[in-house]
Amino acid sequence: MIKKKICMLGAFAVGKTSLVRRFVDSIFSERYQTTVGVKIDKKSMEIDGRRIDLIIWDLNGEDEFQSVRTSYLRGSSGCIYVVDGTRSSTVETAGSLYGKTTAAIGRVPAVLVLNKQDLHQQWEVGDRLLAPVRQMADAVFYTSARTGQGVERAFSKLAVMMMENSGQ
Amino acid sequence: MAGGMDSNPEDSREAFGLLRQLLLKPEIEKLAEISRRLDDPEVRAAEVGQILAAALRRQAAVDDRLCLALRPLIEKTLYNSVRKNPRALVDIIFPVMGPALRKSVSAAIMGMIQSLNQMANHCLTIRGIKWRLEAWKSGKPFSAVVLAHTLLFRVEQVFLIHAESGLVLQHVAAEGVSGKDPDLVSGMFTAIQDFVKDALGSGSELIDTLRLGNQRSIWLEQGRYAILAAVIRGTPPMDLRHDIQDCLDRIEAVRGQALAAFDGDTAPFENLDAELRGLLQFQARPETGRRTWLLPAAIATLVTLAALALGLNRYQENRTWQRLLERLRSQPGIIVTRAAREDGRYLVEGLRDPLAPDPESIKSACRAAKLPVDWRWKAYWTMDRPFVLKRAELLLKPPPSVRLLLEGGILSARGYASHSWIVRARRLASVLPGLAGYNDGQVVDQDLVAFQKAVQRLESKAIYFVKGGIDLDPGQEPNLDDVASIVRTLQGFDFPDRPGLNIAVIGHTDVSGTEKFNLALSRLRAEKVVSLLAARGLEAGLFNPLGLGPAGTGSESQALWRSVTFGVR
Ligand SMILES: Nc1nc2c(ncn2[C@@H]2O[C@H](COP(=O)(O)OP(=O)(O)OP(=O)(O)O)[C@@H](O)[C@H]2O)c(=O)[nH]1
Ligand SMILES: [Mg+2]
């Protein structure tokens, strides 16, 4: 059986936990309960007829109170960087987290998700702002943990890239 | 009378006293009585005594100030009293408490047995069935059997975790144990480990124990690439820690490369199942559960029962162990040099002939398959007859036509064999240990026999010449062809231990003519045959032409006249 550890990274309240909940349990909640430390979830999926277990480490968001512990990143085969499309500052955080992660564990397949797509009226992040972070990611998805849009695809893409990356 | 009273103060004082007497006599008497009562402690005590009970009762009904006031006094009194004479308190309390105590102890035990009973009923595990069988066979109540098997500790789950990623490589759980998804649990272990490392700095010691409530703990053992985590209920012995370490060491030794290269594929670790299951140990002793003030009494009872049960277990295990040792000791080809029990495992050290049966199979054969035994064997060659013979057979590899026998230390071979086998066997037998000698006098050398037959045929051949010349008699060509083919056959034999083939080609003449002429002629005839054979593709160097001159006049000799014959050395 194939198992891969992946990490959810991003600024606080961008919707990391919500995306995992949507992906794993197919639910969404308006309530915001910040993650302290790390929460671990698991989801099995099939890629080309082969089963792969994703062990998802949902880390706390980066803010002035707590920063991401790089030791949690160890052994990770892939990362999902989450940006809140309604807050342009979260783009920069994603970028700095990317630097931090790559320094800690080297380059691993990375997916960038621009979350809260359902709130397009309040959308703040445009192409010019995104250009630098687009570079670092192997794939970019517009998602909404609320409607489920793009969530499955973002995780699947990462799974496929990780499998290819290790020749499995 | 009034004036007299006024004029005489003495009189008036007296009169006043009198009047007072007259008017207040009962009150005065009462006062005197009261003051007497107040002054006389005896009387006062008697009186307070009369009303004390009522007073206390009343005051207690109003509020608990009295209670508060009395408490330290009573406590101190009790304390002093018990210190001075504890027996008294026991005597006082026992009639009340004794029955309750006994009842409570037995209730605790019964409750426990029942819940165990229930548990065993509940999950119809193999072990449950085994216990039922055991109860049925031994005639003991089922609950007693369950009690005997209940746990001092039990390893419920074992995780082999990839240290870096926290991914589960392999997970085993004891019967009937189900928990959260192992991947999630293992992830949390790792996260905790990471957190502590971060919080205390990287040089800090790793966590080796996590506690879950007061019943369960998790023992973690960290290796180079992997973490072995055991979820344990109860209080395990330190030996278990060593077992976990050993297990991890073994795994890392054998799977180090796969661990280092791990990239999410758990397939290389799937067959570690049995190794990990070895850690799912448990040890019998009843679980006491409730913590009451009766606990000491209950524990004492249970410990006794458990000790008996444990003793029985040990006894049986020990018997199995002794049986195994006996079998091993009587096994030819195995010499036990040390047998010991260490850290809950058994160790057997010794010498083992590679041809001796596998100790594991001996173990299963004497119903000790489940005994955890580590073997440490050094190879040796035993001189036991059957082993020497078997070893000779393996080494010499005789063809089916040869039989080996061992008599009085001498190995003898009988039958038919190729020349090369005979030569090789002779060489090998000389270095085979445990032999006094090797005798192959009764082995027929098939190649040599065939060679000799060919030699005979060649030596019976003769090539005839015309009188006085070196031309062949007419019709001698096929004869010469025959000779050539026999020589080829002889060349086909390879006897590395014999000198190379050399054929004497001997020329003869009749008796007419001079001696000198005949010698020369016979020599020329021999050379002629050699050249004719060489013309048939044979190497001239094989032949050694000789001229013998005239053959004799006997009838046998006349057959040689004007001929060339052959001889093989
Ligand atoms: N409308 C909308 N709201 C979202 C979406 N995703 C998350 N939210 C809301 O955003 C808030 C924060 O979501 P979380 O998933 O807890 O964010 P997080 O990144 O895990 O935050 P931290 O754990 O504090 O770092 C919650 O109130 C969510 O309901 C989305 O796609 N659309
Ligand atoms: Mg969160």
Side-chain angles (χ1 to χ4, degrees):
Chain A
M1 194 196 304
I2 308 290
K3 294 181 185 182
K4 298 281 186 189
K5 169 178 170 178
I6 65 171
C7 287
M8 305 292 296
L9 293 158
F12 71 96
V14 292
K16 297 179 293 296
T17 304
S18 302
L19 286 165
V20 175
R21 297 268 288 157
R22 163 61 71 193
F23 178 55
V24 175
D25 306 314
S26 310
I27 27 182
F28 174 77
S29 155
E30 297 283 352
R31 245 187 69 212
Y32 174 39
Q33 210 171 11
T34 186
T35 307
V36 177
V38 59
K39 189 174 166 300
I40 298 167
D41 260 296
K42 172 179 171 181
K43 167 103 171 177
S44 301
M45 44 192 331
E46 270 204 17
I47 304 286
D48 295 336
R50 299 191 59 195
R51 188 172 142 189
I52 169 168
D53 282 354
L54 293 184
I55 314 297
I56 308 166
W57 287 47
D58 172 18
L59 308 186
N60 63 254
E62 181 95 352
D63 60 22
E64 60 266 45
F65 302 111
Q66 38 178 1
S67 68
V68 171
R69 290 179 187 284
T70 45
S71 58
Y72 287 158
L73 302 168
R74 288 190 317 134
S76 208
S77 301
C79 292
I80 294 188
Y81 296 91
V82 186
V83 161
D84 179 346
T86 66
R87 284 187 294 151
S88 54
S89 69
T90 64
V91 175
E92 202 182 310
T93 314
S96 84
L97 278 169
Y98 177 82
K100 212 167 154 180
T101 306
T102 314
I105 63 168
R107 237 193 95 75
V108 293
V111 164
L112 174 69
V113 304
L114 308 169
N115 193 37
K116 307 202 186 173
Q117 179 64 44
D118 55 297
L119 303 175
H120 49 265
Q121 276 108 346
Q122 300 156 45
W123 206 250
E124 273 187 10
V125 303
D127 278 345
R128 218 161 42 86
L129 190 64
L130 280 175
V133 279
R134 268 184 195 281
Q135 299 252 310
M136 70 193 202
D138 300 300
V140 183
F141 290 91
Y142 288 85
T143 62
S144 164
R146 186 196 189 101
T147 65
Q149 179 202 336
V151 177
E152 185 92 26
R153 281 198 298 137
F155 280 95
S156 301
K157 178 69 184 172
L158 185 63
V160 169
M161 288 193 297
M162 290 189 300
M163 298 279 259
E164 280 168 359
N165 201 37
S166 57
Q168 280 157 346
Chain B
M1 186 73 215
M5 276 165 71
D6 286 337
S7 60
N8 185 347
E10 257 318 297
D11 282 355
S12 60
R13 202 178 296 128
E14 195 173 309
F16 182 65
L18 195 66
L19 185 62
R20 209 165 47 172
Q21 279 278 348
L22 282 171
L23 286 173
L24 299 172
K25 181 162 187 242
E27 280 75 16
I28 289 171
E29 274 172 0
K30 232 180 211 153
L31 266 174
E33 167 74 12
I34 285 169
S35 71
R36 188 175 54 82
R37 273 159 60 186
L38 284 175
D39 287 347
D40 184 337
E42 279 293 317
V43 178
R44 232 166 97 196
E47 280 179 1
V48 172
Q50 271 169 27
I51 56 163
L52 187 61
L56 290 178
R57 207 176 306 124
R58 266 186 65 177
Q59 183 56 39
V62 176
D63 59 31
D64 50 3
R65 269 182 303 165
L66 184 69
C67 219
L68 286 173
L70 286 177
R71 187 185 292 157
L73 190 72
I74 290 173
E75 275 175 3
K76 196 161 178 210
T77 315
L78 258 176
Y79 178 74
N80 283 338
S81 150
V82 173
R83 263 186 50 168
K84 249 174 47 203
N85 182 9
R87 185 76 227 161
L89 189 70
V90 174
D91 284 347
I92 294 163
I93 293 178
F94 192 76
V96 194
M97 300 302 281
L101 206 95
R102 274 193 298 271
K103 206 172 141 197
S104 190
V105 170
S106 66
I109 296 176
M110 282 320 291
M112 186 189 61
I113 291 174
Q114 252 159 30
S115 67
L116 292 170
N117 204 339
Q118 233 164 32
M119 179 196 78
N121 278 334
H122 214 66
C123 47
L124 202 67
T125 57
I126 300 204
R127 189 172 296 146
I129 296 167
K130 268 207 287 215
W131 290 353
R132 289 222 167 265
L133 269 176
E134 193 182 319
W136 175 71
K137 274 197 288 197
S138 60
K140 282 187 277 184
F142 177 55
S143 48
V145 175
V146 174
L147 192 66
H149 286 281
T150 327
L151 315 169
L152 179 62
F153 78 92
R154 169 151 98 140
V155 179
E156 294 186 329
Q157 302 182 59
V158 177
F159 296 79
L160 178 67
I161 302 170
H162 182 238
E164 193 180 43
S165 61
L167 296 174
V168 176
L169 302 171
Q170 181 61 270
H171 168 252
V172 295
E175 282 169 53
V177 172
S178 67
K180 284 202 133 208
D181 188 316
D183 283 311
L184 303 186
V185 177
S186 141
M188 284 321 295
F189 290 166
T190 330
I192 292 169
Q193 199 76 281
D194 291 342
F195 178 84
V196 172
K197 227 181 297 172
D198 267 11
L200 304 180
S202 58
S204 62
E205 297 253 324
L206 291 166
I207 296 186
D208 60 8
T209 308
L210 299 173
R211 291 217 142 266
L212 303 180
N214 57 0
Q215 282 289 327
R216 256 189 288 180
S217 50
I218 296 156
W219 281 10
L220 296 161
E221 204 50 53
Q222 173 103 31
R224 195 158 131 75
Y225 304 112
I227 298 173
L228 205 50
V231 179
I232 306 158
R233 182 179 287 279
T235 316
M238 268 324 277
D239 284 356
L240 181 64
R241 175 71 72 184
H242 297 140
D243 289 351
I244 297 175
Q245 277 163 352
D246 285 353
C247 181
L248 183 59
D249 285 351
R250 276 196 301 275
I251 291 173
E252 293 216 317
V254 179
R255 299 297 151 90
Q257 273 186 327
L259 283 167
F262 176 71
D263 192 17
D265 187 357
T266 57
F269 310 99
E270 257 140 41
N271 52 4
L272 289 175
D273 188 81
E275 176 85 62
L276 295 189
R277 281 197 181 279
L279 291 178
L280 288 178
Q281 309 170 2
F282 70 96
Q283 200 171 37
R285 203 201 79 176
E287 212 171 316
T288 48
R290 252 173 303 166
R291 197 180 282 272
T292 66
W293 54 278
L294 289 170
L295 204 59
I299 284 179
T301 317
L302 295 179
V303 163
T304 318
L305 284 173
L308 277 173
L310 258 179
L312 195 69
N313 250 3
R314 268 285 158 68
Y315 169 75
Q316 275 167 350
E317 196 178 291
N318 195 37
R319 272 218 337 214
T320 312
W321 168 234
Q322 292 305 337
R323 194 167 59 232
L324 174 64
L325 280 182
E326 233 170 78
R327 263 298 274 115
L328 286 172
R329 288 197 167 113
S330 63
Q331 171 64 50
I334 283 183
I335 297 172
V336 175
T337 55
R338 192 162 92 89
R341 202 187 132 87
E342 283 176 9
D343 301 343
R345 292 183 70 82
Y346 294 90
L347 173 73
V348 177
E349 272 182 2
L351 304 172
R352 177 173 170 268
D353 190 300
L355 296 176
D358 180 7
E360 281 297 339
S361 72
I362 296 180
K363 205 175 129 197
S364 351
C366 61
R367 287 171 289 128
K370 272 192 286 185
L371 215 62
V373 183
D374 295 325
W375 312 108
R376 273 187 220 149
W377 299 114
K378 286 211 165 67
Y380 91 114
W381 280 358
T382 174
M383 298 305 145
D384 277 6
R385 227 181 76 103
F387 282 85
V388 173
L389 194 58
K390 199 163 167 205
R391 199 179 300 133
E393 247 148 23
L394 277 173
L395 201 67
L396 303 188
K397 295 198 193 68
S401 56
V402 170
R403 207 150 62 85
L404 294 178
L405 296 158
L406 186 66
E407 283 167 280
I410 294 187
L411 184 70
S412 47
R414 292 188 187 158
Y416 302 87
S418 69
H419 184 80
S420 62
W421 181 82
I422 291 171
V423 174
R424 201 175 54 91
R426 217 172 276 164
R427 209 176 55 232
L428 289 174
S430 69
V431 298
L432 208 69
L435 289 186
Y438 176 63
N439 174 5
D440 62 356
Q442 304 210 49
V443 181
V444 176
D445 186 334
Q446 287 164 311
D447 295 318
L448 204 58
V449 169
F451 180 78
Q452 275 157 358
K453 273 189 184 152
V455 167
Q456 261 172 31
R457 273 179 60 214
L458 183 66
E459 289 182 339
S460 66
K461 284 277 174 197
I463 311 287
Y464 289 100
F465 286 79
V466 295
K467 194 167 168 66
I470 55 163
D471 287 328
L472 295 187
D473 258 352
Q476 284 300 297
E477 291 292 331
N479 210 2
L480 203 61
D481 287 340
D482 260 357
V483 168
S485 99
I486 294 170
V487 171
R488 278 207 186 85
T489 307
L490 289 176
Q491 272 187 305
F493 288 97
D494 178 26
F495 299 118
D497 54 336
R498 292 169 67 95
L501 187 62
N502 191 282
I503 299 165
V505 180
I506 309 152
H508 308 273
T509 61
D510 57 17
V511 289
S512 58
T514 66
E515 174 86 19
K516 205 173 163 202
F517 173 77
N518 279 337
L519 268 177
L521 179 61
S522 64
R523 167 89 194 187
L524 285 174
R525 281 175 174 159
E527 278 169 3
K528 169 81 178 206
V529 166
V530 170
S531 71
L532 286 171
L533 288 173
R536 281 170 172 72
L538 291 167
E539 197 190 317
L542 273 177
F543 304 99
N544 185 16
L546 299 169
L548 275 192
T553 48
S555 63
E556 261 184 56
S557 302
Q558 281 189 23
L560 294 175
W561 285 2
R562 297 182 301 274
S563 79
V564 166
T565 57
F566 305 91
V568 177
R569 272 205 306 253

